[in-house]
Amino acid sequence: MLIASQSQRESNVRAEEDLSIYIQVVPCKRRTDRNERLVMGFRFDLLLLFTTLVLLSTTTSTVLSDVILSKVDRRIDLTSQIVRVTSTLKVENVGPGPVSEVLLTFPEIQAKNLAYLKATLNEGKGKVKNSGSNLPINVANPEELPPSLIFHSVSLPKALGEGDSLTIDVLAVFTHVLRPFPEEITQADIQLVLFQDTAHYLSPYAVKVQSLTVKLPKARIEMYTKLENTNIHGSDIKYGPYENLPPFSYAPVVVHFETNQPFAVAQELVREIEISHWGNVQVTEHYNIVHGGAKSKGEFSRLDFQARPHLRGASAFRNLVAKLPPRAHSIYYRDEIGNISTSNVWGDPKKTELLIEPRYPLFGGWRTTFTIGYGLPLQDFLFGSEGKRFLNFSFGSPINDLVTDNLIVKVVLPEGSDDISISTPFPVKQGQETKISHLDVAGRPVVVLEKTNVVPEHNQYFQVYYRFNKLSMLREPFMLISGFFILFVSCIVYMHVDLSISKSSASYLAKLQWDEVRATIQQVISIINQCLSKHERLEASLHDLSRTGDVQACKTARKTADSLFKEYSKELKPLLSFLQSSPQATQILPKVEELVAKEKELQERLIAKHSTIVDCYEKKIGGRELENRVASHQQKVVALKQEVEDLLEYVEEI
C-alpha cells in the first residue's frame, strides 16, 4: 500500500476545474438549443459523480500497489435496452507477496442498476481465446478504500506470484441506465436516449494501457463527449488508447443517440412450473409488461401507424419472441379478455420459437398483461440422483431482451413430496407454500424463488431436489377408481330394483323389450363413435406425415386402423341381427342401418384418401398434383362425415 502521488492529486484538481467550467460535448450536427439544455441538464449529475470520485480518491490515504492492470480493453454494447459492458483485464502482480483476488469497482449510481456480473479466466493466447469456468465473485468491503464505491472481489483459481500475470474477462450487465431524452415524444418522433459513463476504467489499480469502444444500434449520434484520442467508426465510438492512468482515474462521457429497440420491461413475471409424474411438465407464465422508453404524448392514430409504422410508430414495438424448449407442445397465449390469435409458432430440434403480438402496439409508458402456457415432456427435465428426484429447469424468461423487475418462479411438486432442497447458480430469495388442486388431500408443496432485476443472462438452469414415493402415484387413480366403482354399484343396484306392480303385464314386457333394444342401440352408437375416433387418428397420421415425412409410421397407423375396423364390423353383426328380429326396433332400424352403411362408406373413402397421400409421398409427388389427387376424396369425406354426424345425433335422440 502506497501514498497517492502528488501528480495524481494535481491531475484530479485540474480535471475538476475543467469539468466545473464546461463539459466538452461534440454534436454530430449543428448545435441546437435542445443540445445545450441537454448538456446543462446532465452537467449536474456528472459533476456530482466527478466530485465524489475526486474527494474519495484524494481523501483516501492509500491505494493498492501490489497489482497493476497492464492492459484494459472495454466494450460497451448499447444496441438494446440492456447495457452489457465486457472488459478484458490483464492483471500483473508487481509486489513481493502473492495475490489471490482482484477487485472490481463500480460507483453507487451505477451499482444500483447492476443486474449481472461474471468473471472468467481467459487462458487463450493470440487471436484464439478459450474462456474458462466462472470465477467466484463476492461483494467486498476493503479497508482504506473509498466507502462510497461498491467493490466486488474476484477470487483467482490460484495465487498470483511476483511478476506473474493473467487475463480476466469480466461481463457486467446493467438495466435502466439508458435515460430517454426527451422523456416524452409523440407518435411521429424517434426515440433518443442518453448514456453516461467514464472513458477511463475505474479501478483501485494503476492502468498502463486502456481503451474503450461504445457500440451503438445506429450510426445516428446526436452528440457525444469529445476527449483525447476519440474516433468514430460507423456506429462505434472509440476512446483511447490511454496510457499510465493512476488508480481511480476517470473521464466522464455522455452519448446522446437514437435507438428504437423495444424497451420491454416486465414489472412482474410469475412463472409456475407444475410437475406431473404421469409424463408432463406444465409451464404457465403471467406477464405484466410496460414500454420503458420515452413516454408517448398526444393522440394515437391507428391509421397513420398501419400506413407508415416505421415513421409513425418507430419507437413502439408490436411483437415479442419467446424461445421455448425444443419439444414444447399445447402452447397457448391469452390475456384477460381471452385467447389472442395473433401468434405464430415454429421450431426445429433445438428450439421452439413463439412470436406473439399484443392486441395493440406498445408505445412508451403503455402496458399490457398476458399469459403464456405450454407443456413439456417430463423426461427432458426430471432426473434421479442418489435416491432423490430433481427438476433441472431454466430460471429466467424465454422472451428475448426482456428486463424483469420482479421475477417469481413457483415449482409445484407432486403431492407427497418431501426432503426438498434447492440449488441455484446465483442468490435468490426462497420460500415455500402449498397449492390445493384436483384430487388433492393435503395439497402440493410449492417452491417459491424470487429475484429482482433479472436479465437474459439469468436464464440459467436451477435444480429442485425432492423425494417422492412411487406408491403415492397410485393415490389419485385409486380415488378415481373408488369413486367410479361406487357410482357403478349404485347404478347397478338402482337398475335392478323392481319397482313394477306386475311382471306379467304386457306393458312391463314391452318395456323390457324396449330396454333391450335401447341397450343394443347404445352399443351400436359406441362402436360407431370408436370408429370415428379411429378416423381422427388416421387423419392425424397424415398430418404427422406432412410434418415429419415418416411414411413407415403412416403405414403402421393404417395397418392398425384396418385391423380395428374389422373387429368393429364383427361386433356390429350380432347387434344388427338382434335389432332386425325385434319388433320394438321396427321404427328406428332403418336409421341405424343407414348410419352403419354411411360409416362404412366413410371408412372406404378415408382409406382411399390415406392410400393416395402415402403413395404420393413414396413417389415424391407434391404440390398441386397431390392436391388434385386428394381433392375428390376430401370432398366426399367431408360430406360423409356430416351425414354420419347427423344420423348419429338423430339415433341418440331416439
Side-chain angles (χ1 to χ4, degrees), residues 379-393:
Q379 63 270 22
D380 292 355
F381 301 94
L382 190 68
F383 308 94
S385 175
E386 300 179 355
K388 300 181 71 173
R389 304 167 190 253
F390 70 92
L391 175 74
N392 188 47
F393 209 82

Side-chain angles (χ1 to χ4, degrees), residues 20 53 127 241 350 397 417 483 631:
S20 62
L53 294 175
K127 295 183 179 180
K350 295 184 179 180
S397 168
S417 303

Side-chain angles (χ1 to χ4, degrees), residues 48-58 60 63 103-112 139-142 144-152 198 201-205 247-250:
L48 178 61
L49 174 61
F50 188 94
T51 307
T52 302
L53 294 175
V54 169
L55 293 176
L56 290 173
S57 59
T58 55
T60 302
V63 294
L103 294 179
L104 305 177
T105 308
F106 301 95
E108 282 185 333
I109 191 174
Q110 196 178 44
K112 67 181 182 180
V139 177
N141 297 303
E144 301 179 347
L145 285 180
S148 294
L149 297 178
I150 305 301
F151 293 88
H152 293 264
T198 170
Y201 181 66
L202 183 61
S203 173
Y205 312 113
F248 299 108
S249 179
Y250 52 87

Side-chain angles (χ1 to χ4, degrees), residues 361-626:
L362 261 68
F363 286 83
W366 292 17
R367 63 182 65 248
T368 183
T369 58
F370 57 84
T371 299
I372 297 175
Y374 51 93
L376 299 168
L378 182 67
Q379 63 270 22
D380 292 355
F381 301 94
L382 190 68
F383 308 94
S385 175
E386 300 179 355
K388 300 181 71 173
R389 304 167 190 253
F390 70 92
L391 175 74
N392 188 47
F393 209 82
S394 57
F395 182 80
S397 168
I399 295 181
N400 295 343
D401 289 331
L402 178 70
V403 174
T404 307
D405 290 341
N406 187 33
L407 172 61
I408 301 174
V409 178
K410 296 183 178 182
V411 181
V412 183
L413 303 177
E415 187 178 22
S417 303
D418 57 6
D419 193 11
I420 302 171
S421 59
I422 305 164
S423 175
T424 58
F426 37 76
V428 297
K429 182 181 178 181
Q430 301 181 9
Q432 190 168 335
E433 58 187 35
T434 303
K435 178 182 179 180
I436 302 294
S437 185
H438 55 276
L439 298 178
D440 286 345
V441 177
R444 307 183 185 189
V446 180
V447 174
V448 182
L449 308 177
E450 187 172 357
K451 185 173 179 58
T452 59
N453 207 14
V454 178
V455 292
E457 281 74 10
H458 288 117
N459 204 359
Q460 304 177 28
Y461 284 92
F462 70 98
Q463 296 78 36
V464 177
Y465 296 84
Y466 64 97
R467 294 188 185 276
F468 183 77
N469 191 341
K470 293 183 178 180
L471 295 178
S472 298
M473 293 182 63
L474 302 177
R475 179 183 304 171
E476 293 183 1
F478 179 76
M479 293 175 62
L480 288 173
I481 292 172
S482 300
F484 281 113
F485 177 77
I486 294 173
L487 176 63
F488 291 154
V489 169
S490 301
C491 292
I492 292 172
V493 172
Y494 174 77
M495 295 298 295
H496 284 75
V497 172
D498 186 6
L499 302 178
S500 63
I501 299 176
S502 174
K503 295 184 179 180
S504 60
S505 63
S507 60
Y508 178 75
L509 295 176
K511 180 179 180 301
L512 290 179
Q513 293 176 1
W514 172 247
D515 289 342
E516 293 179 1
V517 170
R518 187 171 59 180
T520 304
I521 293 175
Q522 288 296 333
Q523 295 179 34
V524 173
I525 291 174
S526 177
I527 294 174
I528 295 298
N529 284 328
Q530 293 180 33
C531 291
L532 294 178
S533 176
K534 296 303 178 293
H535 295 173
E536 293 178 356
R537 293 188 181 180
L538 199 58
E539 289 192 325
S541 68
L542 294 178
H543 291 295
D544 294 339
L545 175 61
S546 65
R547 182 171 54 87
T548 63
D550 190 350
V551 176
Q552 190 59 37
C554 198
K555 287 184 175 181
T556 303
R558 159 72 184 281
K559 185 177 180 181
T560 303
D562 286 342
S563 61
L564 290 174
F565 290 150
K566 291 180 181 179
E567 292 180 4
Y568 295 151
S569 180
K570 292 179 181 179
E571 294 177 4
L572 282 172
K573 287 182 179 179
L575 299 176
L576 292 176
S577 299
F578 172 78
L579 292 177
Q580 291 169 356
S581 63
S582 175
Q584 297 290 337
T586 304
Q587 295 181 352
I588 197 173
L589 180 60
K591 290 294 183 182
V592 174
E593 291 177 340
E594 184 181 359
L595 173 62
V596 174
K598 289 293 183 181
E599 191 280 327
K600 183 67 175 178
E601 186 179 356
L602 177 59
Q603 285 185 25
E604 295 173 354
R605 283 291 181 175
L606 188 60
I607 290 174
K609 171 187 172 183
H610 192 279
S611 300
T612 302
I613 294 177
V614 171
D615 184 61
C616 289
Y617 267 85
E618 288 182 335
K619 295 180 180 179
K620 301 184 183 294
I621 298 174
R624 180 63 64 181
E625 185 175 354
L626 174 61

Side-chain angles (χ1 to χ4, degrees), residues 250-271:
Y250 52 87
V253 295
V254 175
V255 183
H256 189 211
F257 61 96
E258 174 188 353
T259 177
N260 291 313
Q261 299 298 319
F263 275 46
V265 179
Q267 294 182 327
E268 184 177 67
L269 167 58
V270 179
R271 304 185 73 206

